[in-house]
Amino acid sequence: MSAFDGVTTMQLRAFGRTGMQLSVLGFGCGAVGGLMVRGEAADQERAIARAIDVGVNYFDTAVLYGNGESETNLGRVLHKLKPAGVVVATKVRVPTGEFGRIAEAGEKFQPIRLSVPLMLVKISPISLRMESSFWKFSNT
């Protein structure tokens, strides 16, 4: 008997006023478990594919997870699977002296301006939009 027997759909919840519907369970890509940082590529792909199959659409990563390995590996798997409606949350490092300038987010804010292109190379999305600190990927 599977832990998923009798469950037909993942619950989704609205994320603030963004219009995004996120799964109540997310997939953490951090270094604690190690799968997305030190795991085998086939295991990473199987785990992410299974999460998507059961309705997970929210994936959490950061450049600091495995010194960028988490973003790189997640990007490789998402690029191969091409799932629709996946949301990836990543983080950028903001130096202490820049905290007061966070309101200048986007292209004007140096830490974000420098981090986003590197993240895009790693994640290599089909399409992308920024929603607060969340990146939305889709096939359209």
Side-chain angles (χ1 to χ4, degrees):
M1 177 173 245
S2 165
F4 298 104
D5 286 348
V7 176
T8 56
T9 59
M10 174 66 67
Q11 290 181 13
L12 301 176
R13 296 208 179 124
F15 178 67
R17 296 181 192 152
T18 66
M20 290 189 295
Q21 293 287 313
L22 301 183
S23 54
V24 295
L25 296 177
F27 189 106
C29 300
V32 174
L35 176 66
M36 296 308 294
V37 174
R38 296 177 302 278
E40 296 294 324
D43 293 335
Q44 293 167 348
E45 186 176 326
R46 257 192 313 277
I48 291 173
R50 180 63 178 145
I52 292 167
D53 285 347
V54 298
V56 173
N57 73 347
Y58 172 75
F59 294 81
D60 176 77
T61 187
V63 71
L64 293 178
Y65 296 171
N67 198 28
E69 288 299 310
S70 174
E71 286 183 335
T72 299
N73 293 328
L74 178 60
R76 176 184 39 75
V77 173
L78 292 179
H79 185 71
K80 183 173 183 181
L81 297 177
K82 296 182 178 17
V86 166
V87 176
V88 175
T90 193
K91 297 94 173 162
V92 296
R93 184 180 173 280
V94 178
T96 306
E98 300 286 333
F99 284 170
R101 299 183 53 225
I102 291 175
E104 298 175 30
E107 291 185 22
K108 294 180 185 176
F109 190 42
Q110 183 77 357
I112 293 173
R113 189 169 58 78
L114 295 176
S115 295
V116 169
L118 181 58
M119 187 272 299
L120 292 177
V121 167
K122 292 177 181 177
I123 303 268
S124 61
I126 297 162
S127 71
L128 167 78
R129 76 174 193 225
M130 185 172 179
E131 297 275 0
S132 181
S133 60
F134 289 82
W135 300 94
K136 171 99 177 176
F137 295 83
S138 67
N139 286 323
T140 56

